[in-house]
Amino acid sequence: MPRHCMIITTLPDRATALAAGRALLEARLVACAQIGGPMTSLYLWKDALHAAEEFELRLKTRRSLGPDIEAMLREQHPYELPQITYVPMEGSRDYLEWVDSCLAS
């Protein structure tokens, strides 16, 4: 399994996504936080179909920091059940070295 990953979550607005990304960067848990959106999400929740505008927050990090990132996201996240997904990340050696150089040990 790759040592690095991208963690993806969705948030209800750009300000919340910015705040979460900044907090994780300041804690040196992620090397990069990318915010995309708005997008429309359609989903089932409590037996009903919902639609919502959301912003995607993509976080570049080492897989070993995942539990700390999850804890911070859950603490700040306004959703009862936030999406927190891990995508294994491979890339150029130079890029992954840069990711490592930005992160807490």
Side-chain angles (χ1 to χ4, degrees), residues 1-37:
M1 174 169 278
R3 181 176 170 200
H4 298 88
C5 70
M6 182 173 14
I7 296 177
I8 302 170
T9 190
T10 53
L11 295 138
D13 55 70
R14 185 175 298 280
T16 305
L18 281 167
R22 280 192 179 110
L24 290 162
L25 283 160
E26 288 169 357
R28 298 185 64 88
L29 293 174
V30 302
C32 177
Q34 297 174 310
I35 298 166

Side-chain angles (χ1 to χ4, degrees), residues 75-95:
E75 203 173 276
Q76 297 178 14
H77 214 291
Y79 295 168
E80 182 179 340
L81 178 61
Q83 169 193 333
I84 301 174
T85 55
Y86 292 73
V87 179
M89 187 172 75
E90 296 185 37
S92 70
R93 185 178 57 164
D94 292 347
Y95 181 77

Side-chain angles (χ1 to χ4, degrees), residues 3 22 37 42-43 46 50 53 57-58 80 83 85 93 96-97:
R3 181 176 170 200
R22 280 192 179 110
L42 301 172
Y43 57 95
K46 298 186 178 182
H50 296 267
E53 182 176 273
L57 178 60
R58 286 181 254 152
E80 182 179 340
Q83 169 193 333
T85 55
R93 185 178 57 164
L96 297 177
E97 286 174 358

